[in-house]
Amino acid sequence: MTAHVLMLSSSRQGSEPYLEHARALIFAHLGDIRDLLFVPYAAVTQSYDAYVEAVATALPECNVTGLHTFDDPVSAINNAKKNNQAIVVGGGNTFHLLSSLYSNALIVPMKHAIADGTPYVGWSAGSNICGQSIRTTNDMPIIEPPSFDALDIVPFQLNPHYTDYQPPGHNGETRDQRLAEFTTLNPTTPVVAIREGTALKLSGGTLTLEDGRSHKKDEHDGFIFVGDEKKPLNAGADLTHLI
């Protein structure tokens, strides 16, 4: 397997600046690559140009080019590896992101590019689409994509921004209850839930849980939900058995 993929739970950890906690993880993943082909389609309330500018400001060492600026985005994805670019997909609304990928006929080209070893970095929605489908996203379905099927880079479901906090007096379902609804109907499909500040890294056929946080809390870094089981994960865990 040649896929080289970094799936960040979030763009921020606590009150840190945008992508600050992720910088070390991102640059370690990119190696000497500094040209980023950025996919801004998860943005809804800000313009794509503004989104590109925000990423460029957070990663000033990099040359960030928005995919939306290309007349032929499929060709841009197909040529990313040849141009020594990494594909980077930001967070926002997962439904809007996936719908845009379908409408631009980018699902298959992105799958092929990633399988061919084009480095990939995603956070939040950009990580959600790395799973089999987006059925375990936290986002509101503000638009209906042709399918919930995603890039299927990893053969399981992801749940970024995972939290098990329950606000006092709040009577809505917890995250665990929502994920239990999925695993009840799909008992053989794992869901990997990762806290903000952590990431899944797939490289060289190995999948691991990484931690970009500057300090550790007295809690597990993530969980695997399968059927009626919830298994804790900590940074450094080898999850290769899931692929």
Side-chain angles (χ1 to χ4, degrees):
M1 179 182 294
T2 58
H4 187 57
V5 179
L6 182 65
M7 296 160 273
L8 296 152
S9 174
S10 58
S11 60
R12 286 187 172 88
Q13 160 62 24
S15 59
E16 294 178 3
Y18 189 62
L19 293 177
E20 181 65 27
H21 83 277
R23 284 175 51 83
L25 292 173
I26 290 173
F27 288 124
H29 186 73
L30 292 176
D32 61 357
I33 293 176
R34 291 295 180 269
D35 285 336
L36 309 183
L37 183 59
F38 182 67
V39 181
Y41 298 151
V44 177
T45 57
Q46 67 174 328
S47 71
Y48 291 164
D49 286 342
Y51 202 174
V52 171
E53 183 178 354
V55 175
T57 300
L59 303 173
E61 301 88 344
C62 297
N63 176 35
V64 185
T65 305
L67 185 62
H68 67 292
T69 64
F70 289 84
D71 292 332
D72 187 351
V74 170
S75 179
I77 292 292
N78 288 339
N79 289 316
K81 184 178 181 181
K82 182 179 69 175
N83 293 332
N84 201 35
Q85 292 176 307
I87 298 171
V88 178
V89 183
N93 186 277
T94 308
F95 292 92
H96 192 267
L97 169 60
L98 189 62
S99 180
S100 299
L101 292 178
Y102 272 109
S103 65
N104 286 285
L106 287 165
I107 295 291
V108 172
M110 287 183 66
K111 284 185 176 184
H112 288 168
I114 294 164
D116 191 39
T118 305
Y120 179 101
V121 178
W123 54 86
S124 190
S127 295
N128 263 320
I129 61 170
C130 293
Q132 290 182 333
S133 77
I134 64 167
R135 289 177 293 160
T136 50
T137 179
N138 307 311
D139 299 337
M140 186 174 288
I142 60 173
I143 191 171
E144 185 175 2
S147 170
F148 290 159
D149 291 345
L151 297 179
D152 199 21
I153 298 167
V154 290
F156 52 80
Q157 294 289 127
L158 281 87
N159 183 247
H161 297 281
Y162 173 79
T163 178
D164 45 15
Y165 175 69
Q166 176 74 348
H170 179 70
N171 295 309
E173 286 80 1
T174 65
R175 185 73 56 83
D176 283 20
Q177 289 172 320
R178 290 301 192 195
L179 295 179
E181 292 174 343
F182 177 87
T183 56
T184 296
L185 297 181
N186 304 271
T188 63
T189 302
V191 180
V192 178
I194 54 177
R195 294 193 190 276
E196 292 186 345
T198 64
L200 295 175
K201 182 171 182 176
L202 175 63
S203 187
T206 299
L207 180 69
T208 54
L209 178 61
E210 307 289 324
D211 190 357
R213 297 174 291 183
S214 58
H215 61 280
K216 297 280 288 184
K217 293 184 177 180
D218 186 21
E219 59 187 14
H220 294 294
D221 299 311
F223 295 90
I224 300 177
F225 294 81
V226 183
D228 59 359
E229 294 185 341
K230 177 184 178 182
K231 304 175 183 178
L233 298 172
N234 289 317
D238 188 337
L239 304 177
T240 307
H241 64 280
L242 293 177
I243 58 174

